[in-house]
């Protein structure tokens, strides 16, 4: 497996986003299937595993901790704080809450360490910037955790270049994690270059466009009732029907290159810069191995230009988030 630099770590060029195993895309897979995917990734050379307190309201960290604790020295462990499930009404139902207060982040870290069954988290992200708390205060709390030996490096998720620079002035930021793919180009506005300038890795989540670029999802009515894509404007029936028109040309490029559609999406990201590290998620060992094959795909300048012209912010229909979710992120957005 090819390697890339992430803060003080050398990690596989493609990591594993663990969210899908417990969260967001319908019913979680069985514990046994989750274990199969995690261990298959490790055996295939993946050395960056990405989880979060939010995923399954702790269930994903618990799964990763149980399965991976005996292999802890073989991989870089990333998790996230600042967004978690809270029993707001006292009825036992957890509600997603963004909370970047220092005391909350310290407690969340202790909870994550316990679930992950480890003494230290290699890369700890602020999952969302709590806009009620200065970014300097939240990052300052994470810097205290570095000094205490609880975490080794700090990351940010879904932030602008301006916020990144403010945070970096408090403590070096090892990585920024944001959605990035052919159909989500927001990082190209500013933060992708800011990461390169500051020496931070750019970790791309949803690198196959939440499954769109795999080419298999043709009918959004088949999505699980609890699938988060149902609330995303790009997956609304009319918008998705328009976006499907992009797939024929995209799949032709994949055929011309001699790779699968998922591999093409990931290879495009790998060619966007040496500091870019995609973290696709999957519940299938077969899909996992398909994804990892992207490291062997070479794209020439003409193919990159062809892809850029085919799927971009001008050709994709619909915003990536609904109004509520868009208000929770700090990422730059294109006008309109």
């Amino acid at each position: 497996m090819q390697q890339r630099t992430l803060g003080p770590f050398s990690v596989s060029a493609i990591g594993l986003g663990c969210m899908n195993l417990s969260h967001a895309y319908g019913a979680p897979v069985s514990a046994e299937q989750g274990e199969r995917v995690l261990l298959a990734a490790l055996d295939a050379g993946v050395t960056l595993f990405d989880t979060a307190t939010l995923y399954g309201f702790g269930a994903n960290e618990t799964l990763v901790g149980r399965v991976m604790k005996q292999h802890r020295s073989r991989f870089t462990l990333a998790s996230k704080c600042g967004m978690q499930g809270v029993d707001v009404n006292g009825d036992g139902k957890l509600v997603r809450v963004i909370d970047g207060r220092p005391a909350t982040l310290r407690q969340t870290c202790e909870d994550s360490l316990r679930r992950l069954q480890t003494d230290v988290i290699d890369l700890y992200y602020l999952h969302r910037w709590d806009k009620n708390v200065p970014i300097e205060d939240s990052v300052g709390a994470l810097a205290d955790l570095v000094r205490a030996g609880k975490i080794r490096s700090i990351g940010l998720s879904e932030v602008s270049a301006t916020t990144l620079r403010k945070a970096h002035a408090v403590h070096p930021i090892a990585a920024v994690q944001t959605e990035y793919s052919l159909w989500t180009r927001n990082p190209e506005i500013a933060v992708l270059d800011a990461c390169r300038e500051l020496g931070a890795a750019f970790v791309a989540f949803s690198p196959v466009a939440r499954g769109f670029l795999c080419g298999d999802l043709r009918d959004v009515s088949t999505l699980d009732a609890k699938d988060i894509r149902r609330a995303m404007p790009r997956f609304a029936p009319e918008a998705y029907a328009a976006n499907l028109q992009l797939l024929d040309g995209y799949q032709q490029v994949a055929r011309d290159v001699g790779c699968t559609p998922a591999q093409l999406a990931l290879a495009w990201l790998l060619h966007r810069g040496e500091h870019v590290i995609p973290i696709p998620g999957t519940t299938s060992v077969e899909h996992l191995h398909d994804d990892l094959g992207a490291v062997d795909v070479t794209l020439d300048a003409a193919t990159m230009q062809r892809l850029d012209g085919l799927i971009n912010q001008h050709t994709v229909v619909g915003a990536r988030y609904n109004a509520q979710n868009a208000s929770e992120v700090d990422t730059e957005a294109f006008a309109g």
Side-chain angles (χ1 to χ4, degrees), residues 27-320:
V29 299
S30 67
E32 293 76 15
Q33 180 61 16
E35 181 172 346
R36 277 192 287 271
V37 172
L38 291 170
L39 294 180
L42 189 66
D43 289 343
V46 173
T47 58
L48 175 61
F49 289 77
D50 182 279
T51 182
T53 293
L54 178 71
Y55 302 159
F57 297 137
N60 196 249
E61 286 184 324
T62 299
L63 171 66
V64 172
R66 178 181 63 79
V67 174
M68 304 295 283
K69 61 180 178 180
Q70 62 184 331
H71 308 289
R72 185 65 186 85
S73 63
R74 296 174 55 189
F75 66 94
T76 297
L77 174 62
S79 193
K80 308 180 196 71
C81 62
M83 186 161 63
Q84 59 271 339
V86 177
D87 185 0
V88 175
N89 300 315
D91 58 3
K93 295 181 179 179
L94 298 180
V95 177
R96 187 186 70 169
V97 172
I98 296 174
D99 186 347
R101 293 174 296 175
T104 300
L105 302 185
R106 287 192 291 269
Q107 183 58 55
T108 303
C109 182
E110 295 295 336
D111 295 341
S112 290
L113 288 168
R114 185 185 68 254
R115 286 190 292 263
L116 291 164
Q117 301 188 50
T118 187
D119 295 327
V120 62
I121 297 169
D122 298 316
L123 172 61
Y124 205 40
Y125 290 97
L126 186 66
H127 205 161
R128 290 290 185 274
W129 172 36
D130 180 350
K131 297 173 185 177
N132 296 311
V133 179
I135 189 65
E136 293 88 349
D137 291 358
S138 295
V139 172
L142 296 180
D144 289 341
L145 292 173
V146 173
R147 287 187 282 271
K150 303 286 187 179
I151 66 176
R152 290 196 171 106
S153 63
I154 297 172
L156 301 174
S157 179
E158 292 277 21
V159 297
S160 65
T162 298
T163 301
L164 168 60
R165 294 182 194 283
K166 290 179 180 179
H168 193 77
V170 175
H171 188 280
I173 300 300
V176 171
Q177 180 175 142
T178 294
E179 181 177 355
Y180 188 31
S181 69
L182 275 163
W183 88 336
T184 296
R185 301 299 195 93
N186 303 61
E188 296 173 4
I189 299 173
V191 77
L192 191 64
D193 286 340
C195 284
R196 182 186 290 108
E197 176 190 331
L198 297 174
F202 184 93
V203 177
F205 75 77
S206 297
V208 293
R210 302 187 186 274
F212 172 74
L213 292 173
C214 296
D216 301 325
L217 179 61
R218 293 284 175 168
D219 183 0
V220 290
S221 70
T222 63
L223 294 176
D224 186 274
K226 294 184 177 181
D227 192 308
I228 60 171
R229 289 173 290 187
R230 284 189 172 273
M232 294 179 174
R234 290 179 183 175
F235 289 91
E238 288 188 9
Y240 199 72
N243 290 326
L244 283 176
Q245 303 305 309
L246 302 172
L247 277 183
D248 286 345
Y250 175 75
Q251 290 176 317
Q252 183 58 54
V253 178
R255 287 190 291 270
D256 292 344
V257 171
C259 66
T260 67
Q263 289 171 351
L264 183 63
L266 293 166
W268 178 83
L269 281 167
L270 292 172
H271 284 69
R272 293 295 299 161
E274 286 294 321
H275 67 311
V276 177
I277 304 170
I279 51 167
T282 184
T283 59
S284 162
V285 173
E286 180 183 0
H287 290 167
L288 167 71
H289 288 301
D290 181 41
D291 288 343
L292 298 181
V295 297
D296 297 319
V297 176
T298 299
L299 304 179
D300 60 24
T303 301
M304 291 290 288
Q305 186 175 14
R306 187 176 167 193
L307 288 169
D308 286 336
L310 181 64
I311 302 178
N312 57 59
Q313 69 271 22
H314 303 296
T315 62
V316 173
V317 176
R320 70 183 183 110

